[in-house]
Amino acid sequence: MGCCLSKSKVEPIVASCPQCHKKYDSSVVANIGTELYDHIATVHCPEQGSIECVLCGSTVLSKGYIDHLKKEHNFTAQHENGDVPREITQNVTCPECSETFQSHSADELGNSLYEHITSLHISDQINCSICEDSINPSDYVAHLRQNHDFVIRSEIRVEAPLVTSSNINSLNDAPRPMREGRPIPKPGDKVLCKWGDWQYFDSTILSFDQYKLEYYIEWDDQDPTGRNIPIEHLAVNQSPYEDEIGIGSLVLFHQGRYCANADMGRLSGVRWHQGKITSITAAQDGTKLYSGSHTKSEEDGKWVTYKDYEPNFHNYKLDELRCAPNLFDILEQNAAQQNQELNTLTQCDVYLSYCPSDSQLDVKAGLAEKPEGTNYENTNDPLKIKKDLESLGYKVLSNIRNPHNQELDLNKIVACIKNCKVFVCCISDDYASNDNCRMEMQYAKKTAHKPLIPIIVGDGGWDWQATVVGMLIAGERYIDFKMRDAFDEKFEDLKTQVGNLTDKSGTQAVDTTAKPTTPENTKKDIFISYCWTNSHLSKENNEIKELVGNEWNDPRRIKSLLAKKYNVWLDIEQLTSGQMTGMFEQITTGLINSKVVCAFVSSQYARSENCKMEFQFAAKSLKKPFIPICVGEDMAWTESVIGALVMGSGVPIVDMLDVRKDSHLEKKMEEIMERISEFIQPAEEEVMSDSPPPDYQSAIKSRAPRVGDHVISHHFRHAYYTATILSFNKEDMTYLIQWDDGDPSGRNPRYDQVGLNIEPDEDDIGVGEKVFFPQGQYGGTEGNNTGGVRYHEGVVDSAVERNGVKYFSGHHVRGDDDGKWVTYRGYDYNFHNMTVAELRIAPNAMDALFMPSE
C-alpha cells in the first residue's frame, strides 16, 4: 500500500499590507503569505538601505524587513482591521502509521511529514489521499505543490558534479576582513547554517539577537523558509586561518550537491556537514591537507543516503573548510554596552583559564565530572595555583559562574580576559577538547592580545600539542606543572613570569605591546644571563619563593656595579613583549648585539630551559665570548649540558660560591672587570651594525635544520622517523617535511619535534638533556614505505667515560599514559650506554627563529 496524505480544510482568510493596506485573500495560508511578502519585497523594500516598520517603528535592514515582520509580529496573515493575526493550524496524518503532524507553519509541517514519509514509508508509488491519484515518488512533492497548494521543502536530489577547490571560492567573493581573530558574523554576511538533519546550506544573516545568541537568516537558494540559528550552528562562509584548525577541531566540509526545484523557486547548491579533523598532512608543494570524519551519524538523526555520502573526508585544503565563530569574540563585540560597575568588578592581574575536570576541587563541588581513569593524587590542581598566586597579592579571576544556576557567565569571562594583565592557561588534553577553554584562549591571544603564560596540568597525555591549543603556543615556552612533587620549583618559574608581566610585588611593569627595537635598547656591551632563583633582589621583591645564593653573589647586584662602566642588558629592564615568541626574539637580539655574555651558572641555571637556551645559543650558535660566574650553593651543574659546555671550553670560571661580605665582592668584581676588559673597553666608541656579526651566518652550525637537511621528525604517538626539511614557517614555528622512507604523507612538526640527523657535539649532551635515541625497527610496506629505524624522545640520566669515550644512559620521556605506542618489538623503557654518535638533539627556539631558512 502506498502512503497518502490528508489535510484539514482552512477557512478563507484576508491579509493586508501594513504599508499600503492592499488586500489579499486565499484559503491556503502558504499562498497568502507568499503573495503578501512578494508584494512587500517588490513594492516597499528598496534594494539597499533600511525601512521603518509601521507596526513598531523600528528601523530594519531593507532585505530583512519581511523576516522582521515574521519574527517580531507573527505576521503570517494580517486581519483587515489590523488586530492580532489569527493562528492558522494545519495538520497532516500519515495513513500508513497514523502519525499526525500539526503546525501553524505550512513549511514546517511539510518538512516534518516529508522527512517522515521518505525515511519510513516510501515505495514505488504513493497514493495521494486528497485526490487519490497514484504518484511517482520523485514527483510527489511537485504534485502536492501544484495541485493542493501545499509547500514542502524537497529533499529529492539529482546527480551533480562535486564541488572542487577550483570553484569553492565562488561561493563567497566577499573580501577577508583584516583581523587576527575569527571573523564575527554580522547582518549581510554570507554564512553556512544548519538545516534539518545535520546538513548545512548557504544563507545570509538578516539580524542577530544578542540575548538569545541567535542569528536570523534567509537561505541563498531562495527556499522561502527562514531560521533562527544558534551561534554553534553557523559559520562565516570564508576560509579560516591556518592556526584555527588542528587535530580534533570541528569544521564544516562540503560533500554532495542538491539540485534546483523549479516549483519551489529554489536554486541548486552545495551540501556542507560537520566534521572532526583526524589528521593533517602536506602535499608536495607544502599545502596543508586535512582529513577527518562526520561527527554525526544515522543514530544522531543525520541523513546519510544522499548521493556521494562517505563517512570520512580526505585531503581537503584550508579554503575548502569552514569554522564556527568564537562566542567570546561575539560577546566582546557587545562589550561597549557593559556598565562601569562590570568593568570595575572584572579588573584583575591574572585570568586563570582551566578545564574544571582538571580540578579535583571542582569535581568535589559538583562543577565537573571526573574523567574515567583520572588520578588526581600526583597532579597539581589549577585552583591551588590560583590560591598561591592570590597569597602573593595578585587578584586572580577564573571561570566566573552565575550564582543562581552555577553556569559559566560568559559575558563576565569576556570582560575578565579583556581587563586582565596576563592570561594563564592550564593546558591539558581535556582543556584542548573543551570548546569554552579553546575559545577563551583564542580570544585572549588573537583578539584581546593578552600576554599569555601556558602551563601544563592534568593526568592525561600530550595529544593537545596537535590541536588548535597546541598551535596557539607553538614556539612558546610552557611550564610543566603535571607532577605534584615539582610544584614548588614550577611555581617559582610561574611567579617569575607573572611578576615580569605585572606591576605587583615591586617588579617592573612590562608593556604588553611590543615596542620598536632600536639601537638604544638593543646595543649593549654585556648580556647578563642568570636564573632569578639566584637573585637576592628577586627574593626581596617577592618574585621568588626561595633564594639559592646570597646578597653578595646576586647577579642583579653585580649588574648594577657593571653598569657604572658598561652598557648592560638585563631581562627585567629590556623585555617589552608579553608573548613568549616575542621575548625569545628580544633575548636573541640582545645576545647578537652584545660583545660578551656574563653567565651566572648554578644548578638552578642548568635546570632552567630558558637559561640553557640562552647559553647554548650564545656559546654554540653565535660563538660569543662568555665569562662563566659560579653562583648558588653547589657545583652540581658541572654534570649538566651547561657544565659540558663550560668545562669543555677551557674558559676559567669566576667562583663566587664563598663570597659572603663586601670585601670579598670587591675582589671578585676586580676579577670580573679584568676578564671583561679582554673583550671591550669602557665607553668604547664602536659603531655597531644593525645586522648580525659578519660571521653570524657561518658561525651557526646550530641545531636548527635548514631546507634540504636530513632530520629525525615526529610522526605519530611519539615515534620519530628520518625525513627531509622542505620549509620552515616562523609564524607557528613548524617545519614541513617529507619522509625519507618513501611514505607519501607529509607532516608539520614543531621546531622541538625535529632533530638534525647528524652526530651532535659531545658538549651538546649532559645529564637532564632531552635527546632522540634509536630503539626498534619497522618493516617496509609495499606502495608506502621502505622501513627503517624508530627514534624516540628520551632524557639522559647518566654520562660515564670509558677509554676516552662517553656513554649516555636514560629513559623514555613519554609512556603509555601519554599515548605513546609501547608495544613495538624491542621496546625498553630505558636506553643504555649509547655514544654521542647514536643520539640526536632538537634545536631550541632561538636557533629555530634566527636560523636562515635556506
Side-chain angles (χ1 to χ4, degrees):
M1 176 181 175
C3 183
C4 55
L5 171 74
S6 63
K7 177 181 175 184
S8 61
K9 301 297 182 182
V10 181
E11 295 180 0
I13 54 175
V14 178
S16 59
C17 172
Q19 300 284 99
C20 65
H21 306 296
K22 183 175 180 178
K23 299 175 182 176
Y24 292 85
D25 65 86
S26 173
S27 60
V28 181
V29 65
N31 278 4
I32 193 169
T34 300
E35 293 175 10
L36 177 57
Y37 296 148
D38 284 346
H39 164 79
I40 295 174
T42 55
V43 177
H44 300 297
C45 290
E47 292 186 5
Q48 303 293 332
S50 58
I51 185 172
E52 182 177 337
C53 175
V54 296
L55 300 179
C56 65
S58 299
T59 300
V60 182
L61 191 68
S62 177
K63 63 185 297 184
Y65 182 47
I66 294 173
D67 300 282
H68 169 80
L69 293 174
K70 291 179 181 178
K71 182 179 178 183
E72 303 298 334
H73 305 294
N74 194 23
F75 198 76
T76 301
Q78 182 81 11
H79 275 303
E80 277 188 279
N81 58 14
D83 292 338
V84 178
R86 288 154 120 190
E87 292 188 344
I88 309 300
T89 301
Q90 298 188 84
N91 59 72
V92 290
T93 302
C94 174
E96 193 77 25
C97 62
S98 301
E99 183 171 353
T100 300
F101 298 84
Q102 186 177 70
S103 176
H104 302 312
S105 165
D107 296 335
E108 182 178 337
L109 184 66
N111 291 338
S112 301
L113 177 64
Y114 186 75
E115 291 172 6
H116 170 80
I117 292 173
T118 55
S119 62
L120 296 180
H121 306 304
I122 198 75
S123 60
D124 293 337
Q125 291 292 113
I126 296 177
N127 294 325
C128 174
S129 65
I130 299 178
C131 64
E132 298 186 350
D133 285 351
S134 180
I135 310 297
N136 186 294
S138 62
D139 299 325
Y140 182 44
V141 174
H143 169 82
L144 293 171
R145 170 70 174 168
Q146 295 170 3
N147 297 285
H148 306 296
D149 294 324
F150 200 83
V151 177
I152 298 181
R153 176 179 179 141
S154 171
E155 283 300 322
I156 297 177
R157 312 300 189 193
V158 298
E159 294 185 24
L162 179 67
V163 67
T164 66
S165 59
S166 63
N167 62 28
I168 190 71
N169 287 330
S170 64
L171 296 174
N172 182 18
D173 296 325
R176 185 184 179 113
M178 297 300 292
R179 65 175 279 118
E180 292 188 38
R182 187 171 293 181
I184 300 175
K186 60 185 182 301
D189 279 355
K190 298 294 185 182
V191 291
L192 301 172
C193 292
K194 178 179 176 290
W195 182 91
D197 46 6
W198 292 103
Q199 297 185 85
Y200 293 74
F201 298 94
D202 295 279
S203 54
T204 302
I205 294 175
L206 300 175
S207 60
F208 175 60
D209 187 327
Q210 67 181 41
Y211 302 105
K212 294 181 179 179
L213 297 178
E214 290 182 344
Y215 290 91
Y216 193 69
I217 60 93
E218 66 179 359
W219 303 108
D220 290 349
D221 62 7
Q222 298 183 11
D223 185 313
T225 63
R227 284 289 190 278
N228 290 321
I229 306 294
I231 178 177
E232 64 269 21
H233 294 320
L234 171 148
V236 175
N237 195 1
Q238 69 178 45
S239 174
Y241 293 95
E242 196 170 277
D243 64 3
E244 292 183 83
I245 301 180
I247 301 298
S249 292
L250 295 180
V251 297
L252 298 185
F253 67 97
H254 57 81
Q255 189 182 82
R257 292 180 60 93
Y258 63 98
C259 68
N261 187 305
D263 296 322
M264 291 182 62
R266 192 202 62 213
L267 307 176
S268 63
V270 180
R271 299 180 193 275
W272 294 76
H273 315 269
Q274 187 185 73
K276 191 173 191 177
I277 300 295
T278 57
S279 73
I280 303 174
T281 58
Q284 289 297 321
D285 63 357
T287 303
K288 282 189 176 181
L289 301 175
Y290 302 85
S291 300
S293 59
H294 285 267
T295 58
K296 305 300 179 183
S297 65
E298 194 169 11
E299 294 178 354
D300 302 304
K302 178 170 178 59
W303 183 35
V304 298
T305 57
Y306 59 86
K307 183 176 176 60
D308 296 323
Y309 169 79
E310 286 186 31
N312 301 303
F313 59 96
H314 306 281
N315 297 330
Y316 277 54
K317 295 180 181 179
L318 188 67
D319 61 3
E320 296 179 275
L321 303 175
R322 302 293 182 260
C323 290
N326 189 323
L327 174 59
F328 289 85
D329 284 337
I330 293 172
L331 293 173
E332 192 268 344
Q333 193 178 42
N334 300 319
Q337 301 175 8
Q338 294 177 349
N339 56 40
Q340 185 59 40
E341 180 182 2
L342 178 59
N343 277 319
T344 302
L345 289 173
T346 55
Q347 293 284 344
C348 60
D349 299 304
V350 177
Y351 183 84
L352 188 82
S353 176
Y354 72 95
C355 182
S357 62
D358 287 322
S359 168
Q360 187 176 18
L361 293 173
D362 270 2
V363 170
K364 287 182 176 179
L367 299 175
E369 292 185 5
K370 179 181 178 180
E372 185 177 353
T374 298
N375 181 3
Y376 292 114
E377 290 183 6
N378 296 318
T379 63
N380 289 308
D381 196 310
L383 291 182
K384 172 174 170 49
I385 297 172
K386 177 177 183 286
K387 181 179 179 181
D388 283 15
L389 285 172
E390 289 173 333
S391 70
L392 297 176
Y394 295 104
K395 182 178 179 181
V396 185
L397 297 176
S398 62
N399 285 9
I400 309 299
R401 295 181 181 274
N402 186 311
H404 302 294
N405 56 19
Q406 290 302 301
E407 295 291 326
L408 292 175
D409 191 325
L410 300 183
N411 280 294
K412 286 185 178 177
I413 289 175
V414 167
C416 287
I417 297 174
K418 187 176 181 181
N419 292 323
C420 75
K421 296 176 181 176
V422 59
F423 181 89
V424 176
C425 47
C426 302
I427 297 174
S428 66
D429 286 347
D430 284 352
Y431 183 96
S433 62
N434 183 291
D435 285 341
N436 275 342
C437 295
R438 172 185 54 77
M439 288 191 292
E440 284 181 12
M441 189 173 175
Q442 286 178 314
Y443 171 72
K445 181 165 185 177
K446 295 174 69 64
T447 302
H449 302 289
K450 291 296 174 180
L452 186 145
I453 301 175
I455 65 178
I456 313 305
V457 299
D459 187 42
W462 295 79
D463 291 344
W464 60 266
Q465 292 179 321
T467 69
V468 167
V469 167
M471 291 162 57
L472 284 170
I473 64 167
E476 299 185 9
R477 190 176 76 88
Y478 54 75
I479 306 173
D480 189 350
F481 263 94
K482 287 175 74 73
M483 301 305 295
R484 182 172 292 185
D485 57 7
F487 181 89
D488 290 344
E489 179 182 350
K490 301 303 180 182
F491 187 77
E492 291 301 320
D493 199 350
L494 174 63
K495 186 166 58 173
T496 295
Q497 293 193 37
V498 172
N500 202 34
L501 295 169
T502 65
D503 55 0
K504 290 285 186 179
S505 304
T507 57
Q508 180 172 335
V510 177
D511 185 358
T512 60
T513 303
K515 300 173 184 176
T517 300
T518 64
E520 290 73 25
N521 61 28
T522 62
K523 302 299 176 63
K524 303 294 182 182
D525 298 319
I526 302 167
F527 185 99
I528 300 294
S529 178
Y530 72 107
C531 179
W532 283 27
T533 305
N534 300 131
S535 171
H536 181 264
L537 290 174
S538 291
K539 174 64 175 175
E540 284 192 338
N541 288 335
N542 203 30
E543 296 166 0
I544 58 174
K545 185 175 182 179
E546 182 180 356
L547 170 67
V548 181
N550 59 60
E551 62 179 293
W552 292 278
N553 61 17
D554 181 352
R556 290 189 187 176
R557 181 174 181 181
I558 295 171
K559 178 267 169 186
S560 66
L561 297 174
L562 292 174
K564 294 178 181 180
K565 287 190 175 182
Y566 301 101
N567 291 322
V568 184
W569 195 102
L570 186 72
D571 55 358
I572 61 172
E573 299 170 352
Q574 299 297 320
L575 295 180
T576 60
S577 172
Q579 299 300 325
M580 288 299 163
T581 304
M583 287 184 181
F584 288 153
E585 291 181 6
Q586 292 173 80
I587 290 171
T588 308
T589 302
L591 284 167
I592 290 172
N593 290 326
S594 66
K595 300 170 185 175
V596 64
V597 176
C598 284
F600 290 82
V601 294
S602 66
S603 296
Q604 294 72 38
Y605 183 97
R607 288 196 296 266
S608 167
E609 291 297 327
N610 272 1
C611 294
K612 282 196 297 183
M613 191 185 307
E614 288 176 5
F615 190 73
Q616 288 175 319
F617 184 70
K620 296 281 293 181
S621 299
L622 297 180
K623 292 183 169 38
K624 285 283 179 182
F626 63 87
I627 301 170
I629 304 170
C630 183
V631 295
E633 295 179 347
D634 58 59
M635 296 288 288
W637 60 270
T638 57
E639 297 296 319
S640 70
V641 68
I642 299 297
L645 277 170
V646 172
M647 307 305 283
S649 70
V651 177
I653 300 170
V654 179
D655 186 356
M656 299 192 69
L657 287 179
D658 296 327
V659 175
R660 291 288 187 273
K661 55 185 180 181
D662 289 343
S663 60
H664 292 168
L665 177 58
E666 288 176 8
K667 289 184 179 181
K668 289 297 180 182
M669 284 304 302
E670 291 175 2
E671 182 180 352
I672 293 172
M673 288 290 194
E674 183 179 351
R675 296 282 300 279
I676 291 173
S677 68
E678 298 174 13
F679 307 105
I680 53 177
Q681 296 297 324
E684 187 175 281
E685 296 182 359
E686 178 184 348
V687 178
M688 299 185 69
S689 169
D690 288 338
S691 60
D695 66 343
Y696 175 62
Q697 303 293 338
S698 60
I700 298 184
K701 72 175 212 143
S702 112
R703 305 196 288 189
R706 304 184 189 213
V707 172
D709 282 348
H710 292 286
V711 294
I712 305 298
S713 176
H714 178 257
H715 177 260
F716 182 63
R717 296 188 68 178
H718 305 295
Y720 292 73
Y721 303 90
T722 57
T724 300
I725 298 294
L726 298 179
S727 64
F728 177 62
N729 186 340
K730 284 191 176 183
E731 294 295 322
D732 59 10
M733 297 188 70
T734 60
Y735 289 95
L736 173 65
I737 60 93
Q738 67 180 13
W739 302 109
D740 291 346
D741 62 6
D743 184 333
S745 67
R747 281 291 189 277
N748 290 91
R750 296 191 321 275
Y751 75 95
D752 56 351
Q753 292 179 319
V754 299
L756 276 171
N757 194 9
I758 60 173
E759 179 180 337
D761 294 335
E762 198 170 275
D763 60 10
D764 282 329
I765 302 176
V767 173
E769 191 70 4
K770 289 184 179 179
V771 296
F772 301 125
F773 67 95
Q775 189 181 82
Q777 295 188 339
Y778 64 102
T781 302
E782 185 176 354
N784 183 270
N785 66 76
T786 58
V789 178
R790 286 194 182 92
Y791 280 79
H792 313 270
E793 187 180 6
V795 63
V796 174
D797 296 327
S798 68
V800 297
E801 187 171 336
R802 294 193 295 268
N803 300 321
V805 178
K806 269 196 174 180
Y807 295 91
F808 302 91
S809 301
H811 64 272
H812 283 268
V813 171
R814 313 291 185 200
D816 191 30
D817 291 344
D818 302 308
K820 178 171 178 57
W821 182 36
V822 297
T823 57
Y824 59 85
R825 184 179 179 84
Y827 170 78
D828 188 337
Y829 175 71
N830 299 299
F831 61 91
H832 307 279
N833 298 324
M834 289 194 172
T835 64
V836 68
E838 298 175 273
L839 303 176
R840 301 293 181 261
I841 54 177
N844 65 43
M846 294 180 184
D847 279 329
L849 277 170
F850 287 85
M851 164 60 72
S853 60
E854 302 294 342

